[in-house]
């Protein structure tokens, strides 16, 4: 049983890490959350049912839940700490660490997307999942996953082109 889990770990660790890193923007935090994902998965391994979902989808679901919990905790703390001091337009944006390899213009464009769009992008390019796998992980229809991905990529392209034009004007 542990050997099976070791194989699942080897096969999916970089997919899970890529998804988390794409969403959280910090190498150290992505490593911690990846470790927590696999710790939870190992504890629940006896309940894993491959007829309900693939191992990759199951692991991404665990990672998504950990991310949601973390965003809720951090968001509440950040909001409580600064709510009385600043207007919404003055709130700080989370900056991605430069060693993640995400261009600052891309990070800014990603920040303009909805949470759902960012998650679809993270699953596609961070976890390298295909739209049917994204649909399964997020509980969407395959068509909806395709549509969200396509719309998000068009919006990113437009924002990056605008950033390039602004850069040329400077």
């Amino acid at each position: 049983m542990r050997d099976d889990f070791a194989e699942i770990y080897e096969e999916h660790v970089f997919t899970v890490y890529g998804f988390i890193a794409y969403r959280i923007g910090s190498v150290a935090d992505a490593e911690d959350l990846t470790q927590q994902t696999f710790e939870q998965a190992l504890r629940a391994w006896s309940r894993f049912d491959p007829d309900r979902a693939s191992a990759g989808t199951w692991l991404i679901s665990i990672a998504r839940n950990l991310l949601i919990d973390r965003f809720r905790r951090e968001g509440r703390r950040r909001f409580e700490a600064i709510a009385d001091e600043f207007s919404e337009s003055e709130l700080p944006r989370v900056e991605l660490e430069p060693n993640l390899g995400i261009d600052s213009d891309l990070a800014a464009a990603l920040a303009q997307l909805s949470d759902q769009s960012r998650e679809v992008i993270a699953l596609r390019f961070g976890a390298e999942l295909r739209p049917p796998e994204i649909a399964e992980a997020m509980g969407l229809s395959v068509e909806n996953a395709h549509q969200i991905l396509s719309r998000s990529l068009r919006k990113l392209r437009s924002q990056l082109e605008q950033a390039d034009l602004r850069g040329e004007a400077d």
Side-chain angles (χ1 to χ4, degrees), residues 21-41:
Y22 215 91
R23 287 290 301 180
I24 204 154
S26 163
V27 171
D29 290 344
E31 290 171 350
D32 290 346
L33 285 171
T34 300
Q35 178 180 349
Q36 289 174 26
T37 298
F38 282 96
E39 286 173 359
Q40 282 192 11

Side-chain angles (χ1 to χ4, degrees), residues 66-96:
L66 287 169
L67 279 168
I68 289 167
D69 290 346
R70 180 160 191 150
F71 289 148
R72 283 182 183 150
R73 276 192 317 271
E74 287 185 358
R76 194 173 308 123
R77 275 190 233 127
R78 281 190 200 140
F79 179 76
E80 289 169 355
I82 60 179
D84 295 331
E85 298 179 35
F86 300 99
S87 69
E88 187 173 329
S89 63
E90 297 173 310
L91 294 177
R93 292 218 179 263
V94 174
E95 294 297 323
L96 295 171

Side-chain angles (χ1 to χ4, degrees), residues 43-147:
R43 283 193 297 273
W45 183 239
S46 64
R47 296 187 311 268
F48 170 64
D49 182 359
D51 293 332
R52 291 186 63 208
S54 70
T57 300
W58 181 63
L59 290 166
I60 290 294
S61 296
I62 293 170
R64 284 183 70 222
N65 289 334
L66 287 169
L67 279 168
I68 289 167
D69 290 346
R70 180 160 191 150
F71 289 148
R72 283 182 183 150
R73 276 192 317 271
E74 287 185 358
R76 194 173 308 123
R77 275 190 233 127
R78 281 190 200 140
F79 179 76
E80 289 169 355
I82 60 179
D84 295 331
E85 298 179 35
F86 300 99
S87 69
E88 187 173 329
S89 63
E90 297 173 310
L91 294 177
R93 292 218 179 263
V94 174
E95 294 297 323
L96 295 171
E97 291 182 9
N99 58 352
L100 280 178
I102 298 177
D103 178 78
S104 61
D105 287 338
L106 176 58
L110 284 167
Q112 299 302 312
L113 297 177
S114 70
D115 286 339
Q116 183 182 48
S117 293
R118 281 194 306 272
E119 186 150 357
V120 168
I121 295 287
L123 288 168
R124 177 65 189 103
F125 298 104
E128 298 180 355
L129 299 182
R130 296 181 323 273
E133 297 166 315
I134 294 169
E136 184 180 3
M138 293 186 67
L140 302 170
S141 69
V142 175
E143 294 80 17
N144 197 5
H146 271 288
Q147 184 180 40

